[in-house]
Amino acid sequence: MLTNVTANTTHLLVTQATTGYNLTTPVNATQTLELRVTNWAYGVQIKCVHLSGGAARLVRLPEGTRRMELIGDSLSAGQYATLEGISSYSWGLMYGLGNVEFSITAYPGICLHDSNCWGE
């Protein structure tokens, strides 16, 4: 499930009305919440996370053994893609490497050097 979480709001990711929840997955199976942030330089502040069930717990995943940064253009940024950055080829490439901490620095219409490189 993909969602946009807005500042100063309460966001319910799963409710009893969520179709398919615990119907195709065992009740005690591990559920993963992955938080991806586009403005990470500003920091992310989460007031609280509520878990249901006595055995429910929140754990931090271990950091990847490698760190990579992809620098790119409009294709890397996912311009015109359904989910923009996370449906771009660069996201699939970096995520698919597995066990990698990565960031993608890519903007549509940007050059890797100081010049006007769009519309020419």
Side-chain angles (χ1 to χ4, degrees):
M1 175 176 145
L2 256 162
T3 185
N4 183 13
V5 179
T6 305
N8 298 318
T9 62
T10 299
H11 196 80
L12 302 173
L13 298 173
V14 177
T15 68
Q16 291 181 351
T18 303
T19 305
Y21 184 69
N22 288 338
L23 295 177
T24 58
T25 305
V27 175
N28 61 350
T30 300
Q31 300 292 318
T32 304
L33 168 68
E34 183 173 347
L35 181 66
R36 293 288 174 169
V37 181
T38 57
N39 61 346
W40 58 268
Y42 295 115
V44 177
Q45 299 165 357
I46 299 174
K47 186 175 182 179
C48 64
V49 176
H50 295 277
L51 305 173
S52 62
R57 62 191 176 103
L58 189 63
V59 298
R60 180 184 172 119
L61 296 175
E63 289 190 21
T65 57
R66 300 172 287 175
R67 295 185 190 283
M68 299 180 77
E69 180 176 10
L70 188 139
I71 301 172
D73 57 4
S74 57
L75 294 176
S76 306
Q79 184 177 16
Y80 306 126
T82 306
L83 300 171
E84 296 179 356
I86 60 174
S87 58
S88 67
Y89 88 88
S90 54
W91 178 275
L93 172 68
M94 300 299 257
Y95 196 81
L97 290 173
N99 202 21
V100 174
E101 298 290 324
F102 66 90
S103 62
I104 300 171
T105 303
Y107 299 96
I110 197 167
C111 293
L112 292 177
H113 57 89
D114 190 16
S115 70
N116 293 332
C117 59
W118 60 91
E120 294 178 3

